[in-house]
mmCIF file of all heavy atoms in Angstrom:
data_model
loop_
_atom_site.group_PDB
_atom_site.id
_atom_site.type_symbol
_atom_site.label_atom_id
_atom_site.label_comp_id
_atom_site.label_asym_id
_atom_site.label_seq_id
_atom_site.Cartn_x
_atom_site.Cartn_y
_atom_site.Cartn_z
ATOM 1 N N GLY A 266 122.174 100.071 121.216
ATOM 2 C CA GLY A 266 123.394 99.297 120.932
ATOM 3 C C GLY A 266 123.794 99.356 119.486
ATOM 4 O O GLY A 266 124.355 98.405 118.975
ATOM 5 N N ILE A 267 123.519 100.483 118.799
ATOM 6 C CA ILE A 267 123.914 100.676 117.402
ATOM 7 C C ILE A 267 124.873 101.897 117.406
ATOM 8 O O ILE A 267 124.534 102.956 117.956
ATOM 9 C CB ILE A 267 122.715 100.999 116.484
ATOM 10 C CG1 ILE A 267 121.683 99.857 116.550
ATOM 11 C CG2 ILE A 267 123.194 101.205 115.054
ATOM 12 C CD1 ILE A 267 120.420 100.112 115.744
ATOM 13 N N SER A 268 126.031 101.684 116.835
ATOM 14 C CA SER A 268 127.065 102.741 116.964
ATOM 15 C C SER A 268 126.714 103.943 116.092
ATOM 16 O O SER A 268 126.998 105.088 116.397
ATOM 17 C CB SER A 268 128.428 102.189 116.527
ATOM 18 O OG SER A 268 128.398 101.872 115.178
ATOM 19 N N GLY A 269 126.046 103.685 114.934
ATOM 20 C CA GLY A 269 125.641 104.805 114.084
ATOM 21 C C GLY A 269 126.619 105.004 112.927
ATOM 22 O O GLY A 269 127.014 106.139 112.637
ATOM 23 N N ALA A 270 127.029 103.929 112.274
ATOM 24 C CA ALA A 270 127.872 103.983 111.072
ATOM 25 C C ALA A 270 127.137 104.838 110.064
ATOM 26 O O ALA A 270 125.900 104.881 110.047
ATOM 27 C CB ALA A 270 128.152 102.607 110.533
ATOM 28 N N ILE A 271 127.867 105.529 109.173
ATOM 29 C CA ILE A 271 127.327 106.418 108.191
ATOM 30 C C ILE A 271 126.270 105.722 107.335
ATOM 31 O O ILE A 271 125.214 106.282 106.994
ATOM 32 C CB ILE A 271 128.447 107.042 107.345
ATOM 33 C CG1 ILE A 271 127.924 108.160 106.457
ATOM 34 C CG2 ILE A 271 129.188 106.008 106.494
ATOM 35 C CD1 ILE A 271 128.999 109.035 105.827
ATOM 36 N N GLN A 272 126.499 104.417 107.045
ATOM 37 C CA GLN A 272 125.517 103.687 106.218
ATOM 38 C C GLN A 272 124.220 103.486 106.990
ATOM 39 O O GLN A 272 123.127 103.495 106.415
ATOM 40 C CB GLN A 272 126.037 102.291 105.836
ATOM 41 C CG GLN A 272 127.305 102.320 104.976
ATOM 42 C CD GLN A 272 128.511 102.160 105.801
ATOM 43 O OE1 GLN A 272 128.651 102.642 106.963
ATOM 44 N NE2 GLN A 272 129.495 101.444 105.249
ATOM 45 N N HIS A 273 124.278 103.317 108.294
ATOM 46 C CA HIS A 273 123.057 103.120 109.089
ATOM 47 C C HIS A 273 122.297 104.446 109.195
ATOM 48 O O HIS A 273 121.107 104.525 108.974
ATOM 49 C CB HIS A 273 123.367 102.592 110.508
ATOM 50 C CG HIS A 273 122.132 102.268 111.271
ATOM 51 N ND1 HIS A 273 121.409 101.145 111.090
ATOM 52 C CD2 HIS A 273 121.491 103.005 112.177
ATOM 53 C CE1 HIS A 273 120.364 101.140 111.906
ATOM 54 N NE2 HIS A 273 120.375 102.316 112.584
ATOM 55 N N LEU A 274 123.056 105.509 109.514
ATOM 56 C CA LEU A 274 122.443 106.834 109.644
ATOM 57 C C LEU A 274 121.738 107.260 108.391
ATOM 58 O O LEU A 274 120.669 107.884 108.407
ATOM 59 C CB LEU A 274 123.521 107.849 110.051
ATOM 60 C CG LEU A 274 124.184 107.661 111.406
ATOM 61 C CD1 LEU A 274 125.192 108.754 111.647
ATOM 62 C CD2 LEU A 274 123.127 107.627 112.504
ATOM 63 N N ALA A 275 122.290 106.900 107.251
ATOM 64 C CA ALA A 275 121.673 107.224 105.954
ATOM 65 C C ALA A 275 120.205 106.772 105.903
ATOM 66 O O ALA A 275 119.343 107.438 105.351
ATOM 67 C CB ALA A 275 122.429 106.644 104.805
ATOM 68 N N GLY A 276 119.964 105.601 106.468
ATOM 69 C CA GLY A 276 118.616 105.011 106.374
ATOM 70 C C GLY A 276 117.633 105.529 107.386
ATOM 71 O O GLY A 276 116.441 105.291 107.301
ATOM 72 N N VAL A 277 118.142 106.247 108.397
ATOM 73 C CA VAL A 277 117.205 106.642 109.476
ATOM 74 C C VAL A 277 117.209 108.141 109.817
ATOM 75 O O VAL A 277 116.470 108.624 110.655
ATOM 76 C CB VAL A 277 117.523 105.875 110.793
ATOM 77 C CG1 VAL A 277 117.453 104.372 110.561
ATOM 78 C CG2 VAL A 277 118.902 106.243 111.368
ATOM 79 N N SER A 278 118.130 108.893 109.124
ATOM 80 C CA SER A 278 118.366 110.279 109.573
ATOM 81 C C SER A 278 117.182 111.189 109.295
ATOM 82 O O SER A 278 117.132 112.262 109.837
ATOM 83 C CB SER A 278 119.615 110.817 108.872
ATOM 84 O OG SER A 278 119.458 110.716 107.474
ATOM 85 N N SER A 279 116.215 110.749 108.490
ATOM 86 C CA SER A 279 115.008 111.588 108.281
ATOM 87 C C SER A 279 113.989 111.413 109.382
ATOM 88 O O SER A 279 112.915 112.043 109.327
ATOM 89 C CB SER A 279 114.361 111.251 106.940
ATOM 90 O OG SER A 279 115.257 111.444 105.887
ATOM 91 N N SER A 280 114.260 110.573 110.351
ATOM 92 C CA SER A 280 113.331 110.389 111.501
ATOM 93 C C SER A 280 113.232 111.762 112.237
ATOM 94 O O SER A 280 114.187 112.451 112.369
ATOM 95 C CB SER A 280 113.866 109.344 112.459
ATOM 96 O OG SER A 280 114.209 108.180 111.789
ATOM 97 N N LYS A 281 111.990 112.037 112.701
ATOM 98 C CA LYS A 281 111.824 113.366 113.346
ATOM 99 C C LYS A 281 112.639 113.486 114.649
ATOM 100 O O LYS A 281 113.314 114.452 114.840
ATOM 101 C CB LYS A 281 110.305 113.585 113.630
ATOM 102 C CG LYS A 281 109.562 114.043 112.407
ATOM 103 C CD LYS A 281 108.268 114.771 112.806
ATOM 104 C CE LYS A 281 107.407 114.983 111.550
ATOM 105 N NZ LYS A 281 106.344 113.981 111.444
ATOM 106 N N VAL A 282 112.524 112.471 115.485
ATOM 107 C CA VAL A 282 113.269 112.496 116.741
ATOM 108 C C VAL A 282 114.070 111.174 116.847
ATOM 109 O O VAL A 282 113.510 110.079 116.605
ATOM 110 C CB VAL A 282 112.363 112.640 117.983
ATOM 111 C CG1 VAL A 282 113.085 112.463 119.258
ATOM 112 C CG2 VAL A 282 111.650 113.997 117.901
ATOM 113 N N ILE A 283 115.316 111.291 117.161
ATOM 114 C CA ILE A 283 116.211 110.086 117.286
ATOM 115 C C ILE A 283 116.734 110.010 118.725
ATOM 116 O O ILE A 283 117.238 110.977 119.239
ATOM 117 C CB ILE A 283 117.372 110.124 116.279
ATOM 118 C CG1 ILE A 283 116.829 110.093 114.850
ATOM 119 C CG2 ILE A 283 118.345 109.011 116.540
ATOM 120 C CD1 ILE A 283 117.887 110.193 113.777
ATOM 121 N N VAL A 284 116.610 108.797 119.272
ATOM 122 C CA VAL A 284 117.166 108.523 120.601
ATOM 123 C C VAL A 284 118.235 107.479 120.416
ATOM 124 O O VAL A 284 117.993 106.423 119.785
ATOM 125 C CB VAL A 284 116.102 107.997 121.561
ATOM 126 C CG1 VAL A 284 116.704 107.667 122.942
ATOM 127 C CG2 VAL A 284 114.997 109.021 121.716
ATOM 128 N N ALA A 285 119.479 107.706 120.977
ATOM 129 C CA ALA A 285 120.543 106.750 120.864
ATOM 130 C C ALA A 285 120.885 106.262 122.277
ATOM 131 O O ALA A 285 121.030 107.042 123.159
ATOM 132 C CB ALA A 285 121.763 107.374 120.213
ATOM 133 N N ILE A 286 120.989 104.914 122.377
ATOM 134 C CA ILE A 286 121.399 104.354 123.654
ATOM 135 C C ILE A 286 122.591 103.500 123.363
ATOM 136 O O ILE A 286 122.550 102.545 122.562
ATOM 137 C CB ILE A 286 120.254 103.477 124.226
ATOM 138 C CG1 ILE A 286 119.053 104.356 124.535
ATOM 139 C CG2 ILE A 286 120.726 102.729 125.463
ATOM 140 C CD1 ILE A 286 117.757 103.601 124.810
ATOM 141 N N ASN A 287 123.758 103.869 123.937
ATOM 142 C CA ASN A 287 124.999 103.175 123.597
ATOM 143 C C ASN A 287 125.983 103.336 124.756
ATOM 144 O O ASN A 287 126.032 104.369 125.408
ATOM 145 C CB ASN A 287 125.599 103.768 122.315
ATOM 146 C CG ASN A 287 126.495 102.719 121.620
ATOM 147 O OD1 ASN A 287 127.499 102.335 122.166
ATOM 148 N ND2 ASN A 287 126.091 102.348 120.437
ATOM 149 N N LYS A 288 126.774 102.323 124.979
ATOM 150 C CA LYS A 288 127.755 102.379 126.073
ATOM 151 C C LYS A 288 128.962 103.243 125.754
ATOM 152 O O LYS A 288 129.651 103.703 126.620
ATOM 153 C CB LYS A 288 128.127 100.985 126.628
ATOM 154 C CG LYS A 288 128.919 100.120 125.659
ATOM 155 C CD LYS A 288 129.252 98.841 126.367
ATOM 156 C CE LYS A 288 130.116 97.816 125.678
ATOM 157 N NZ LYS A 288 130.208 97.773 124.258
ATOM 158 N N ASP A 289 129.181 103.457 124.443
ATOM 159 C CA ASP A 289 130.312 104.226 123.996
ATOM 160 C C ASP A 289 129.922 105.648 123.780
ATOM 161 O O ASP A 289 129.196 105.995 122.857
ATOM 162 C CB ASP A 289 130.892 103.596 122.725
ATOM 163 C CG ASP A 289 132.040 104.422 122.145
ATOM 164 O OD1 ASP A 289 132.505 105.315 122.847
ATOM 165 O OD2 ASP A 289 132.414 104.144 120.953
ATOM 166 N N ALA A 290 130.402 106.537 124.624
ATOM 167 C CA ALA A 290 130.063 107.954 124.547
ATOM 168 C C ALA A 290 130.532 108.596 123.256
ATOM 169 O O ALA A 290 130.022 109.635 122.816
ATOM 170 C CB ALA A 290 130.674 108.706 125.730
ATOM 171 N N GLU A 291 131.528 107.967 122.587
ATOM 172 C CA GLU A 291 132.036 108.480 121.347
ATOM 173 C C GLU A 291 131.311 107.951 120.106
ATOM 174 O O GLU A 291 131.647 108.232 118.958
ATOM 175 C CB GLU A 291 133.531 108.101 121.164
ATOM 176 C CG GLU A 291 134.431 108.677 122.269
ATOM 177 C CD GLU A 291 134.409 110.180 122.328
ATOM 178 O OE1 GLU A 291 134.462 110.838 121.264
ATOM 179 O OE2 GLU A 291 134.262 110.762 123.457
ATOM 180 N N ALA A 292 130.288 107.074 120.334
ATOM 181 C CA ALA A 292 129.559 106.496 119.218
ATOM 182 C C ALA A 292 128.986 107.558 118.285
ATOM 183 O O ALA A 292 128.426 108.578 118.813
ATOM 184 C CB ALA A 292 128.402 105.597 119.696
ATOM 185 N N PRO A 293 129.146 107.490 116.958
ATOM 186 C CA PRO A 293 128.714 108.524 116.048
ATOM 187 C C PRO A 293 127.221 108.817 116.180
ATOM 188 O O PRO A 293 126.759 109.904 115.800
ATOM 189 C CB PRO A 293 129.057 107.996 114.646
ATOM 190 C CG PRO A 293 129.809 106.733 114.836
ATOM 191 C CD PRO A 293 129.846 106.385 116.286
ATOM 192 N N PHE A 294 126.472 107.842 116.681
ATOM 193 C CA PHE A 294 124.997 108.052 116.733
ATOM 194 C C PHE A 294 124.664 109.238 117.590
ATOM 195 O O PHE A 294 123.652 109.959 117.391
ATOM 196 C CB PHE A 294 124.266 106.822 117.315
ATOM 197 C CG PHE A 294 123.093 106.423 116.465
ATOM 198 C CD1 PHE A 294 122.905 105.077 116.135
ATOM 199 C CD2 PHE A 294 122.172 107.381 116.052
ATOM 200 C CE1 PHE A 294 121.810 104.712 115.326
ATOM 201 C CE2 PHE A 294 121.066 106.988 115.269
ATOM 202 C CZ PHE A 294 120.888 105.673 114.936
ATOM 203 N N PHE A 295 125.497 109.545 118.610
ATOM 204 C CA PHE A 295 125.183 110.650 119.510
ATOM 205 C C PHE A 295 125.243 112.007 118.787
ATOM 206 O O PHE A 295 124.683 112.986 119.230
ATOM 207 C CB PHE A 295 126.076 110.656 120.759
ATOM 208 C CG PHE A 295 125.757 109.538 121.668
ATOM 209 C CD1 PHE A 295 126.685 108.501 121.926
ATOM 210 C CD2 PHE A 295 124.517 109.449 122.271
ATOM 211 C CE1 PHE A 295 126.349 107.455 122.801
ATOM 212 C CE2 PHE A 295 124.184 108.387 123.109
ATOM 213 C CZ PHE A 295 125.119 107.373 123.373
ATOM 214 N N LYS A 296 125.942 112.023 117.638
ATOM 215 C CA LYS A 296 126.026 113.301 116.869
ATOM 216 C C LYS A 296 124.740 113.442 116.012
ATOM 217 O O LYS A 296 124.452 114.550 115.596
ATOM 218 C CB LYS A 296 127.244 113.281 115.936
ATOM 219 C CG LYS A 296 128.517 113.453 116.710
ATOM 220 C CD LYS A 296 129.678 113.926 115.848
ATOM 221 C CE LYS A 296 130.872 114.293 116.640
ATOM 222 N NZ LYS A 296 131.450 113.174 117.383
ATOM 223 N N ALA A 297 124.064 112.343 115.777
ATOM 224 C CA ALA A 297 122.846 112.411 114.945
ATOM 225 C C ALA A 297 121.592 112.384 115.758
ATOM 226 O O ALA A 297 120.492 112.596 115.212
ATOM 227 C CB ALA A 297 122.833 111.231 113.969
ATOM 228 N N ALA A 298 121.707 112.164 117.065
ATOM 229 C CA ALA A 298 120.569 111.928 117.899
ATOM 230 C C ALA A 298 120.101 113.212 118.603
ATOM 231 O O ALA A 298 120.843 114.166 118.766
ATOM 232 C CB ALA A 298 120.865 110.876 118.992
ATOM 233 N N ASP A 299 118.769 113.232 118.924
ATOM 234 C CA ASP A 299 118.239 114.333 119.708
ATOM 235 C C ASP A 299 118.422 114.061 121.163
ATOM 236 O O ASP A 299 118.663 114.990 121.997
ATOM 237 C CB ASP A 299 116.735 114.475 119.384
ATOM 238 C CG ASP A 299 116.545 114.762 117.895
ATOM 239 O OD1 ASP A 299 116.639 115.922 117.532
ATOM 240 O OD2 ASP A 299 116.289 113.811 117.161
ATOM 241 N N TYR A 300 118.232 112.815 121.591
ATOM 242 C CA TYR A 300 118.417 112.416 122.965
ATOM 243 C C TYR A 300 119.330 111.256 123.007
ATOM 244 O O TYR A 300 119.325 110.357 122.111
ATOM 245 C CB TYR A 300 117.062 112.049 123.603
ATOM 246 C CG TYR A 300 116.123 113.146 123.586
ATOM 247 C CD1 TYR A 300 115.115 113.300 122.604
ATOM 248 C CD2 TYR A 300 116.110 114.161 124.565
ATOM 249 C CE1 TYR A 300 114.211 114.358 122.557
ATOM 250 C CE2 TYR A 300 115.225 115.236 124.598
ATOM 251 C CZ TYR A 300 114.260 115.327 123.591
ATOM 252 O OH TYR A 300 113.435 116.379 123.572
ATOM 253 N N GLY A 301 120.179 111.182 124.066
ATOM 254 C CA GLY A 301 121.083 110.056 124.169
ATOM 255 C C GLY A 301 121.233 109.593 125.616
ATOM 256 O O GLY A 301 121.019 110.372 126.581
ATOM 257 N N ILE A 302 121.472 108.338 125.799
ATOM 258 C CA ILE A 302 121.796 107.758 127.071
ATOM 259 C C ILE A 302 123.107 106.954 126.942
ATOM 260 O O ILE A 302 123.121 106.041 126.120
ATOM 261 C CB ILE A 302 120.686 106.868 127.668
ATOM 262 C CG1 ILE A 302 119.335 107.621 127.604
ATOM 263 C CG2 ILE A 302 121.012 106.438 129.085
ATOM 264 C CD1 ILE A 302 118.150 106.741 128.045
ATOM 265 N N VAL A 303 124.112 107.361 127.633
ATOM 266 C CA VAL A 303 125.376 106.637 127.561
ATOM 267 C C VAL A 303 125.420 105.667 128.703
ATOM 268 O O VAL A 303 125.411 106.027 129.872
ATOM 269 C CB VAL A 303 126.573 107.627 127.726
ATOM 270 C CG1 VAL A 303 127.906 106.837 127.584
ATOM 271 C CG2 VAL A 303 126.512 108.691 126.619
ATOM 272 N N GLY A 304 125.422 104.374 128.341
ATOM 273 C CA GLY A 304 125.496 103.351 129.359
ATOM 274 C C GLY A 304 125.134 101.975 128.871
ATOM 275 O O GLY A 304 124.913 101.809 127.680
ATOM 276 N N ASP A 305 125.010 101.040 129.797
ATOM 277 C CA ASP A 305 124.748 99.643 129.490
ATOM 278 C C ASP A 305 123.261 99.449 129.150
ATOM 279 O O ASP A 305 122.407 99.692 130.021
ATOM 280 C CB ASP A 305 125.150 98.797 130.712
ATOM 281 C CG ASP A 305 124.980 97.323 130.467
ATOM 282 O OD1 ASP A 305 124.508 96.934 129.380
ATOM 283 O OD2 ASP A 305 125.342 96.553 131.396
ATOM 284 N N ALA A 306 122.986 98.998 127.946
ATOM 285 C CA ALA A 306 121.609 98.790 127.508
ATOM 286 C C ALA A 306 120.850 97.835 128.406
ATOM 287 O O ALA A 306 119.660 98.020 128.645
ATOM 288 C CB ALA A 306 121.564 98.255 126.047
ATOM 289 N N PHE A 307 121.556 96.876 128.989
ATOM 290 C CA PHE A 307 120.893 95.870 129.836
ATOM 291 C C PHE A 307 120.460 96.499 131.196
ATOM 292 O O PHE A 307 119.635 95.953 131.852
ATOM 293 C CB PHE A 307 121.836 94.690 130.041
ATOM 294 C CG PHE A 307 122.094 93.918 128.738
ATOM 295 C CD1 PHE A 307 123.237 94.228 128.012
ATOM 296 C CD2 PHE A 307 121.169 93.037 128.298
ATOM 297 C CE1 PHE A 307 123.438 93.582 126.827
ATOM 298 C CE2 PHE A 307 121.377 92.402 127.067
ATOM 299 C CZ PHE A 307 122.545 92.658 126.322
ATOM 300 N N GLU A 308 121.093 97.610 131.524
ATOM 301 C CA GLU A 308 120.707 98.319 132.748
ATOM 302 C C GLU A 308 119.609 99.363 132.413
ATOM 303 O O GLU A 308 118.703 99.590 133.179
ATOM 304 C CB GLU A 308 121.926 98.996 133.327
ATOM 305 C CG GLU A 308 121.790 99.556 134.709
ATOM 306 C CD GLU A 308 123.069 100.222 135.164
ATOM 307 O OE1 GLU A 308 124.176 99.879 134.656
ATOM 308 O OE2 GLU A 308 122.962 101.151 135.992
ATOM 309 N N ILE A 309 119.808 99.959 131.238
ATOM 310 C CA ILE A 309 118.916 101.110 130.853
ATOM 311 C C ILE A 309 117.525 100.637 130.394
ATOM 312 O O ILE A 309 116.522 101.165 130.786
ATOM 313 C CB ILE A 309 119.621 101.919 129.715
ATOM 314 C CG1 ILE A 309 120.882 102.583 130.263
ATOM 315 C CG2 ILE A 309 118.643 102.919 129.080
ATOM 316 C CD1 ILE A 309 121.797 103.093 129.167
ATOM 317 N N MET A 310 117.505 99.596 129.544
ATOM 318 C CA MET A 310 116.257 99.233 128.875
ATOM 319 C C MET A 310 115.152 98.859 129.847
ATOM 320 O O MET A 310 114.011 99.276 129.655
ATOM 321 C CB MET A 310 116.509 98.116 127.870
ATOM 322 C CG MET A 310 117.245 98.559 126.594
ATOM 323 S SD MET A 310 116.593 100.053 125.912
ATOM 324 C CE MET A 310 114.983 99.475 125.374
ATOM 325 N N PRO A 311 115.422 98.030 130.914
ATOM 326 C CA PRO A 311 114.277 97.721 131.790
ATOM 327 C C PRO A 311 113.640 98.941 132.411
ATOM 328 O O PRO A 311 112.428 98.985 132.569
ATOM 329 C CB PRO A 311 114.974 96.856 132.908
ATOM 330 C CG PRO A 311 116.191 96.233 132.204
ATOM 331 C CD PRO A 311 116.626 97.305 131.268
ATOM 332 N N LYS A 312 114.435 99.992 132.660
ATOM 333 C CA LYS A 312 113.868 101.219 133.233
ATOM 334 C C LYS A 312 112.944 101.910 132.192
ATOM 335 O O LYS A 312 111.899 102.425 132.572
ATOM 336 C CB LYS A 312 115.014 102.190 133.630
ATOM 337 C CG LYS A 312 115.857 101.691 134.722
ATOM 338 C CD LYS A 312 116.925 102.740 135.133
ATOM 339 C CE LYS A 312 117.820 102.103 136.164
ATOM 340 N NZ LYS A 312 118.813 103.040 136.678
#
Side-chain angles (χ1 to χ4, degrees):
Chain A
I267 302 176
S268 65
I271 190 166
Q272 298 97 323
H273 185 80
L274 295 180
V277 304
S278 57
S279 302
S280 309
K281 279 202 192 101
V282 172
I283 294 176
V284 178
I286 297 167
N287 204 296
K288 66 177 183 336
D289 176 11
E291 299 300 316
F294 228 134
F295 289 116
K296 288 200 171 64
D299 300 276
Y300 298 97
I302 308 176
V303 182
D305 182 358
F307 296 94
E308 192 182 333
I309 294 165
M310 289 311 294
K312 293 183 186 185

